Amino acid sequence: MELKPLRQDGVVELLQITDTHLFADKDADFLGIAPWHSGQAVVNAILENEQLAGTQPHDLILATGDLSQDHSRDSYRHFSELMSELAPPVFWLPGNHDDADLMQAELDNAGISNAKHLLCGQWQILLLDTQLAGETHGELSAAQLSLLEQAITAYPRHHLLLAVHHQAIPVGCAWLDQHNLRNASAMQALLVKHQASRVVLCGHVHQGFDQREQDIRYLASPATCIQFKPLSDEFVLDSMAPGWRALSLHPDGRLSTQVWRLPPHAFEPDFSATGY
Ligand SMILES: [Fe+2]
C-alpha cells in the first residue's frame, strides 16, 4: 500500500501504540490498572499534544500487538473506538495475547486496514506477525521471513522500519528475554543485507528501549497500561506511567524518536503483583 507523502519536507511522522491489553469490561483490572482507562488517557494526551501543536502532527499509527487481554470481541471494539478518536490511519499486528482471527475480523469490521507493507516516501514499513499459537515467545514463520526478503528485494533503496511484537535482541530483563523472538537471527541475516537504514520496532516488553546492533536500531515502547521494570531479572512492575512513542522518519534515513508518558502517578499498578 502506498501512502502519499503528506509533508513538503518528506518526513513521515508516526506514533506507536502498543500492548493496550483491553478487556470487554472497561473497568476490568489488570494488576492494579484498568487498561481501558489508561488507554483512553493516552489517547486524550495525544489529542492534547496535537491541539498544542496546532497541526495534524502524525501521518499514521502502528499498533504492535497485545491489543486484547481477554480475547473478547468487545476488547477489539474498544480498541477501534479509541483509535477512531485519533485521525491518522492505524496499522496493526498481533501479539502473544491476541486472538489473531478475531482481531482481524473485528478490526476489519471497524474499517481498520489490514495492510502490512506501506510505502511512505523514502521509507517502507513492514508489519510482521511473530505470534506462535499457545506460546508466550515469538517466531517468524518461513512465510513471514519471505515477506521481509521480498520487501528488501523489491525496494532496496527504501529505508526500512520493521514492526514486530516480540523483542529481537535482549532488553536486559531475564524473565522477559526468555519470551523473545526465538529466530531473530534469521531476520537479522536478511536485514544486514539491506543497504538502506534499518529499524526494528517492537512491543511486548512494556518499557522504553533504544539500542543499536550491527547498525540496526532496535526500539521498544511503553505499554498503554502496566510497565515492566527495566534491567530486572525477575518480574517487577515499574512505577513509570503508561505511554507511547513518536517517530519521525526522515527521507535521508535518519530517525528521530521520543517516548511520551502520562503524568507521573497517573496510573499506579499493584506493586505486590508477582506475575500475570
Ligand atoms: Fe503485552
Side-chain angles (χ1 to χ4, degrees):
M1 176 184 217
E2 183 150 10
L3 298 177
K4 295 266 175 285
L6 301 173
R7 296 163 200 276
Q8 283 193 331
D9 59 6
V11 178
V12 181
E13 301 286 357
L14 60 99
L15 295 179
Q16 181 191 15
I17 290 178
T18 196
D19 295 82
T20 49
H21 288 271
L22 298 168
F23 293 85
D25 176 357
K26 290 182 175 179
D27 296 323
D29 177 90
F30 184 39
L31 306 182
I33 289 180
W36 182 83
H37 289 276
S38 58
Q40 178 71 67
V42 163
V43 166
N44 293 346
I46 291 169
L47 289 171
E48 254 172 60
N49 276 1
E50 290 181 0
Q51 248 176 356
L52 286 173
T55 56
Q56 171 55 52
H58 307 110
D59 304 320
L60 61 110
I61 294 172
L62 298 180
T64 46
D66 280 5
L67 304 185
S68 173
Q69 176 63 17
D70 66 357
H71 303 140
S72 64
R73 264 179 209 289
D74 279 348
S75 63
Y76 292 113
R77 287 178 186 161
H78 296 331
F79 175 79
S80 306
E81 284 160 17
L82 285 175
M83 292 303 100
S84 71
E85 296 182 39
L86 302 170
V90 177
F91 301 93
W92 61 274
L93 54 82
N96 50 296
H97 282 280
D98 288 305
D99 178 327
D101 292 339
L102 186 62
M103 183 182 199
Q104 175 154 4
E106 285 304 321
L107 298 183
D108 280 354
N109 280 344
I112 293 180
S113 171
N114 190 32
K116 302 298 182 220
H117 184 253
L118 315 170
L119 280 178
C120 339
Q122 300 305 305
W123 282 78
Q124 55 180 326
I125 299 173
L126 180 64
L127 298 101
L128 291 183
D129 178 356
T130 57
Q131 192 191 56
L132 195 55
E135 301 289 350
T136 308
H137 65 266
E139 197 171 284
L140 283 165
S141 65
Q144 293 292 303
L145 285 168
S146 127
L147 291 176
L148 173 57
E149 188 159 29
Q150 285 167 33
I152 61 180
T153 305
Y155 301 97
R157 290 172 196 277
H158 279 69
H159 310 296
L160 172 67
L161 176 63
L162 173 58
V164 287
H165 181 68
H166 295 83
Q167 74 272 34
I169 63 170
V171 295
C173 297
W175 74 275
L176 263 176
D177 285 329
Q178 64 181 324
H179 304 312
N180 62 352
L181 176 58
R182 289 285 161 88
N183 60 343
S185 57
M187 178 191 88
Q188 286 151 341
L190 292 168
L191 287 177
V192 293
K193 293 188 206 162
H194 191 51
Q195 296 298 304
S197 292
R198 297 145 298 181
V199 180
V200 179
L201 179 68
C202 74
H204 192 51
V205 297
H206 293 222
Q207 59 191 276
F209 180 77
D210 186 348
Q211 201 164 304
R212 193 179 282 274
E213 268 187 25
Q214 289 187 291
D215 211 26
I216 300 168
R217 192 166 178 187
Y218 293 91
L219 297 167
S221 304
T224 64
C225 54
I226 55 166
Q227 311 299 307
F228 299 142
K229 195 169 184 57
L231 305 178
S232 172
D233 282 343
E234 309 288 333
F235 173 93
V236 180
L237 291 176
D238 198 9
S239 59
M240 298 293 277
W244 67 100
R245 183 181 281 282
L247 304 102
S248 306
L249 310 180
H250 298 265
D252 61 2
R254 282 177 305 120
L255 175 145
S256 43
T257 182
Q258 183 178 3
V259 165
W260 291 82
R261 290 184 189 269
L262 296 176
H265 313 299
F267 288 86
E268 296 235 298
D270 173 6
F271 291 112
S272 66
T274 53
Y276 77 105

